[in-house]
Amino acid sequence: MIEFQNVSFSYEKERPVLREVSFRIETGEAVGLIGANGAGKSTVMKLLLGLLSGEGKILIDGTEVKKENLKEIRRKLGFVLQNSDNQMFMPTVYEDMMFAPLNYMLTREEAEARVDAVLKELGLTELKHRHNHRISGGEKRMAAIATILAMEPEAVLMDEPTSALDPYNRRVVINTIRSLRQTKLITSHDLDMILDTCDRVILLSGGRVAADGPAEVILRDKALLEAHRMELPLCLQTRK
Amino acid sequence: MNKMEKALHELGEMDELAARSSPIHELNATAKLLSTVVYIVTVVSFPKYALSALVPLLLWPVLLFQVSGIPVRVCFYKLRIVLPLVMAVGLFNPFFDRAPLLQLGPVAVSGGVVSMLTLMLKGVLCLMASFLLMATTPIDSLCASLRRLHVPKMLVTLLLLTYRYVGVMTEELAVMTDAYHLRAPGQKGIHVSAWGSFLGQLLLRSMDRAQELYASMLLRGYHEHFHYAPVKPFTARDGAYLVGSAALFLLLRFVDLAQLLGSLFVR
């Protein structure tokens, strides 16, 4: 369970990025965090992961996100970065996937078994020993997701998981996201993907929660979306 | 592919070379590391006029190239930028040391020329040995070996991260160079007036990316301790390689093989 209680944050005093944001995500929920550029989506993610600290309270399974709890918190959360190149820093997919399990004190055998299981589940076994700089963008995105799943996190956070992917790879990533059993929090401008993968949507605007409700309702509300510099998902737009 | 992308590609190729399989690749990283250190120390210890005595030490890298299956041209291609710099070290010796040292027919060769050639050869040999170590040993194994040799954790982590992060900086440089040339058609290189802002931007962008990479490491449980790939155990074969190679280097250091061979033919 993820809970934001009146969280505010600003990089500069005069320009707050988040203003008293509150929401609660139950275990197993798939939530899309949407909003125009600068609405504060990435800041929400960074606050959640303890990469930034603001005012108010953020709780993960009842544990407050603060310096002394970061190890415990980060063990529960897996974060897929927008730019997979920034996530994959080891020479091969295998070594990258081993990185987190080894840091969490698994033996090499246990870690390898976990890596193999994740690769098999995602159908990526042939990528195991491939070099990160030799795989395509789509493969890299899937490998980045695999590195996170190898941590066996309780919740998966994703920042623009389908950006810069071709339609085929986008569909592969969407199907993978749908198959994940963990709690999911996904930020994206790809509203079609959000509609496909999330049950609930939180709309951020001007640093506040402008709407929070079922994806089917919010993503069909043309007036609401347009009022916050967004558009209906393409699949819901009727051709003129 | 622009120059920077090529550089990035080449960096990746080093990892691939190190991941190959050969009797040299199979050796324990510590044995290879120590053998390389002994080789370099031996090469450097030769006196400045001992050009002929140094030549037999070429046999070692040649042997390693053969056994490891690493093409020699790859070595010289990858070292093409640093080789001229190393070779330029002794360039001024002929001007300072003009005393004739030997006579080649009618030509008197000065001590400066011999010491310049010796320095050049030393540079080439050391670079080749370092290249062979890197090309036959994954960086993780090398770092794990350094830790086993009690090199401070901070230094080893810095080495590993520098190796990984060079790619990040090069990637940023590639993007910036492309963006520059698209708006400065026909211009060779970066104009001097843009150097300051170019470097400043490069630094800022690299720092941003490095920060994101570091965040990604922290979020996956990194806590100032790298779990290096398991190092192959030090076997009798590794011991034999280390002792054998060190003995050979010392032999070549104290016995002038070239002179010995020469004395067989010339009295």
Side-chain angles (χ1 to χ4, degrees):
Chain A
M1 184 264 290
I2 297 169
E3 193 170 2
F4 266 56
Q5 293 177 355
N6 301 317
V7 176
S8 300
F9 179 82
S10 61
Y11 292 98
E12 296 164 42
K13 266 190 179 173
E14 315 80 58
R15 288 164 56 184
V17 180
L18 295 181
R19 303 161 203 236
E20 305 211 332
V21 169
S22 296
F23 60 81
R24 185 184 162 99
I25 299 172
E26 297 301 333
T27 305
E29 260 192 304
V31 178
L33 190 62
I34 62 168
N37 289 335
K41 305 184 295 291
S42 299
T43 307
V44 165
M45 292 288 199
K46 285 181 180 169
L47 286 165
L48 197 50
L49 294 158
L51 294 172
L52 295 174
S53 58
E55 291 164 30
K57 227 177 201 183
I58 303 170
L59 302 167
I60 312 285
D61 284 340
T63 309
E64 190 174 351
V65 178
K66 49 185 179 182
K67 205 176 177 185
E68 51 268 36
N69 299 332
L70 283 183
K71 202 173 173 187
E72 188 190 339
I73 297 283
R74 287 173 178 172
R75 192 172 188 151
K76 293 179 177 179
L77 304 174
F79 183 45
V80 181
L81 273 72
Q82 179 177 1
N83 185 348
S84 307
D85 283 326
N86 289 352
Q87 186 150 349
M88 314 279 288
F89 50 86
M90 300 293 273
T92 63
V93 173
Y94 165 73
E95 285 167 85
D96 232 306
M97 288 184 71
M98 293 284 279
F99 185 79
L102 290 176
N103 281 332
Y104 288 120
M105 299 304 160
L106 261 70
T107 64
R108 211 154 253 285
E109 290 72 31
E110 288 168 337
E112 183 144 10
R114 202 186 262 192
V115 166
D116 285 337
V118 171
L119 285 171
K120 193 175 170 196
E121 194 181 328
L122 299 185
L124 301 174
T125 311
E126 82 283 1
L127 286 188
K128 185 175 176 183
H129 293 294
R130 296 272 299 278
H131 280 81
N132 286 335
H133 68 281
R134 286 284 166 94
I135 58 178
S136 70
E139 288 172 329
K140 209 173 273 182
R141 189 66 52 91
M142 286 300 292
I145 294 173
T147 62
I148 293 308
L149 295 183
M151 290 170 62
E152 293 192 349
E154 288 172 23
V156 178
L157 317 180
M158 295 181 165
D159 190 7
E160 297 283 358
T162 52
S163 67
L165 292 182
D166 63 36
Y168 173 79
N169 282 309
R170 178 179 169 277
R171 180 49 55 191
V172 171
V173 169
I174 288 174
N175 290 341
T176 304
I177 295 172
R178 285 168 63 110
S179 70
L180 299 179
R181 293 174 294 274
Q182 289 92 337
T183 306
K184 287 167 269 186
L185 179 61
I186 305 167
T187 71
S188 185
H189 294 295
D190 181 352
L191 299 186
D192 291 79
M193 180 271 291
I194 294 286
L195 191 61
D196 237 357
T197 55
C198 299
D199 323 308
R200 182 180 148 201
V201 160
I202 296 172
L203 169 61
L204 282 180
S205 181
R208 295 181 195 277
V209 175
D212 183 348
E216 281 287 340
V217 176
I218 290 184
L219 295 178
R220 283 177 191 278
D221 191 337
K222 191 173 180 225
L224 174 73
L225 292 173
E226 285 182 354
H228 296 98
R229 290 163 47 206
M230 305 192 78
E231 284 184 341
L232 282 175
L234 286 173
C235 65
L236 299 180
Q237 289 181 20
T238 45
R239 286 190 183 180
K240 285 175 187 170
Chain B
M1 217 189 283
N2 69 21
K3 274 185 192 171
M4 296 306 145
E5 282 166 330
K6 269 187 193 163
L8 206 61
H9 189 71
E10 280 187 37
L11 204 65
E13 277 178 346
M14 284 305 288
D15 283 333
E16 283 173 26
L17 284 177
R20 282 188 183 184
S21 174
S22 80
I24 303 296
H25 286 82
E26 295 308 314
L27 286 169
N28 173 279
T30 312
K32 283 188 274 185
L33 176 67
L34 289 175
S35 168
T36 306
V37 170
V38 176
Y39 180 82
I40 291 174
V41 170
T42 310
V43 167
V44 171
S45 73
F46 274 83
K48 61 179 181 177
Y49 297 137
L51 180 60
S52 63
L54 199 55
V55 172
L57 275 147
L58 254 175
L59 289 173
W60 184 248
V62 169
L63 182 72
L64 290 191
F65 277 119
Q66 279 301 315
V67 180
S68 64
I70 309 270
V72 184
R73 64 182 159 76
V74 174
C75 169
F76 284 98
Y77 183 72
K78 290 204 184 293
L79 297 177
R80 67 193 180 281
I81 294 168
V82 70
L83 262 178
L85 295 174
V86 167
M87 292 180 75
V89 170
L91 222 52
F92 293 104
N93 286 18
F95 301 104
F96 297 119
D97 182 1
R98 295 179 183 201
L101 189 73
L102 55 103
Q103 196 75 31
L104 284 177
V107 183
V109 181
S110 71
V113 170
V114 175
S115 66
M116 178 188 75
L117 293 174
T118 309
L119 267 178
M120 285 177 171
L121 186 58
K122 279 184 183 182
V124 172
L125 292 177
C126 291
L127 279 178
M128 281 205 292
S130 311
F131 171 82
L132 278 164
L133 176 67
M134 292 296 295
T136 57
T137 320
I139 186 77
D140 282 38
S141 307
L142 213 51
C143 290
S145 292
L146 288 170
R147 284 295 297 135
R148 283 196 169 186
L149 295 170
H150 299 287
V151 176
K153 191 163 84 174
M154 185 64 84
L155 281 181
V156 178
T157 308
L158 268 176
L159 172 73
L160 184 70
L161 292 183
T162 305
Y163 185 82
R164 296 264 172 266
Y165 281 52
V166 161
V168 174
M169 207 156 170
T170 316
E171 265 178 34
E172 289 303 329
L173 195 55
V175 172
M176 286 175 65
T177 313
D178 276 346
Y180 181 89
H181 286 300
L182 286 170
R183 287 185 292 156
Q187 206 176 95
K188 276 191 179 174
I190 312 288
H191 191 266
V192 70
S193 62
W195 282 10
S197 54
F198 200 85
L199 280 176
Q201 278 298 316
L202 175 65
L203 183 68
L204 290 174
R205 291 170 65 135
S206 302
M207 277 166 66
D208 275 352
R209 279 202 67 183
Q211 218 148 23
E212 198 163 336
L213 264 165
Y214 184 59
S216 151
M217 289 164 69
L218 288 178
L219 296 177
R220 287 197 277 156
Y222 175 71
H223 196 68
E224 294 169 11
H225 177 71
F226 256 100
H227 293 270
Y228 302 106
V231 177
K232 292 178 183 104
F234 195 95
T235 60
R237 188 182 57 162
D238 302 308
Y241 172 83
L242 177 58
V243 173
S245 60
L248 177 70
F249 304 151
L250 290 176
L251 181 76
L252 292 174
R253 172 67 185 86
F254 295 110
V255 178
D256 190 341
L257 192 65
Q259 196 178 41
L260 206 66
L261 283 173
S263 67
L264 295 176
F265 302 103
V266 183
R267 283 174 187 259

